[in-house]
Amino acid sequence: MNSSASAYLKPALTATVFVLFLAWIWPREAITAEEQAAAADGRVIISYWDRSQGFEHEERNVLIREYNRTQGIEDGVYVRTLSIGWRIEKLLTAISSGAPPDLCSMEAQSMATLGYQGCFEDLTDWMESHPYLHPDRFLPTTLNTVTIQGRIYGIPTMTDSYCLVWNKSLFRRAGLDPDRAPETIEELQEFAVKLSALDDGRVSTIAFLPWIPWDMSYMWGSMFGGEWYDPERDEFIPDPEPIIESFRWQASWQRDPNDPDAPAHSIPRSQIDTFFAGSAGGGGYQSAQNPFYSGRVAMTLEGEWQVTFIPRFAPDLDWGVAPMPQPEGVPPRAFTPGAVLDAIPVGSPNPDAAKKFLDWFYSPRPDGSPSPASDYNKAIHNIPCRIDEAMEDRFLQDPKFGVFVSALLEREPHSFPVTPITRYFSDRVSQARERILYGGLSPEAAVEELRQTANAELRRTRAQLEVVSQ
């Protein structure tokens, strides 16, 4: 493990306890009958830590079991999986303690932060020599999320595309065309006024709020034409005005009941609080109680996974999907949070065996059928990161899923920046929104404070990394 990774991970106070726990639940030797048979045949047993959970993890396991009983025999490799979720603390501790898995998956934000610390193997040369992993084959936005200082440290597996989804039944009740979504921010507000009129003065249905289902301030800043980071200047928020306007617009949805000039599309703060505190706004995201599924929210921003979730949790919902509305005059943009990726941690016991599995996972099958990576995206309804796979008919021609894919392919895509403090910065963006909505801070003051704080932290981190690398 290099010194920069070590310096970054030293504060992990629970390292010793966690490594002991890993040793208990994650023995290196074969433990199941299948693993014992594989070991007896001389196959290398490699560990794969999967960030997915639930049915997504099981779909991954379906493919890994296929590998173990087919190509894995020829490769002399057997893959063991463990679902560790999206949080990176376990991975951090394992790498710093010299007990990493052979292979892992994670979100792009984690790669943006940890890649600068030297936590992962450089895959650039290997990918450039591989017919199906050459960097030119990937969506540029997703490849950017795994590229640090010109070198590639992960393989983008799947990506997301955010669009507007709406409840067609509620549109009909409001006298709106159920097959037409608002195309601009101005239309979005007009539609919201008509949808809110269904409530007769009480909020039992939310027409739209920019932070449902969760805070997406980063996306809204991009939709308003803002640039959160300039790589040429290595500076956050080089032009504050579009970012300020996006926060001002978000705040416009929350009304002061004593303000006679409040926008018509806004909702009294007390009613918003009541909505989310009660059963109307509550409920699990992946359940029939999701407020969009239950008809409590008319329009919201969502990702392509809803093509799987809605039939599962709300099979009778009549819904549509369209590209995100933007302010008039702003060039069409798409937003993706980046990618989920596969990487080989520094200190991997079996990096060559891990690459054999990755070779299989990202390559078309011998009969010419799609790669396991493409099949995984199809099973859980995410978008493949390889351009040719994203354009497969089964993705692009799906009447709903194809809208998400087309938005990403046809519009200018924006995502989180690749910096050593990406996760820190995204957290501060969310905090800025909270302070504007609930703390009485003006958008101008919040953005200026965010800009100053983030750039100071970026300079401090760059200097620290430079010292450690010497």
Side-chain angles (χ1 to χ4, degrees), residues 118-134:
C119 291
F120 303 105
E121 295 282 349
D122 185 341
L123 302 178
T124 310
D125 294 340
W126 177 66
M127 290 179 64
E128 288 180 346
S129 67
H130 192 290
Y132 297 105
L133 288 175
H134 194 280

Side-chain angles (χ1 to χ4, degrees), residues 51 60 86 104-112 138-147 154-162 304-305 335-343 362 377 382-386 408 414-418 422-423:
R51 49 75 65 192
R60 174 100 66 177
W86 63 272
C104 62
S105 65
M106 73 191 77
E107 276 79 9
Q109 284 192 60
S110 299
M111 168 58 72
F138 289 86
L139 293 163
T141 306
T142 64
L143 188 69
N144 183 58
T145 64
V146 298
T147 303
I155 305 174
T157 310
M158 55 192 179
T159 190
D160 298 321
S161 173
Y162 281 97
E304 73 289 336
W305 56 86
F335 184 80
T336 171
V340 171
L341 59 106
D342 283 326
Y362 291 96
N377 277 280
N382 282 132
I383 301 173
C385 292
R386 252 194 16 221
L408 201 58
H414 284 250
S415 185
F416 293 103
V418 181
T422 292
R423 189 173 292 277

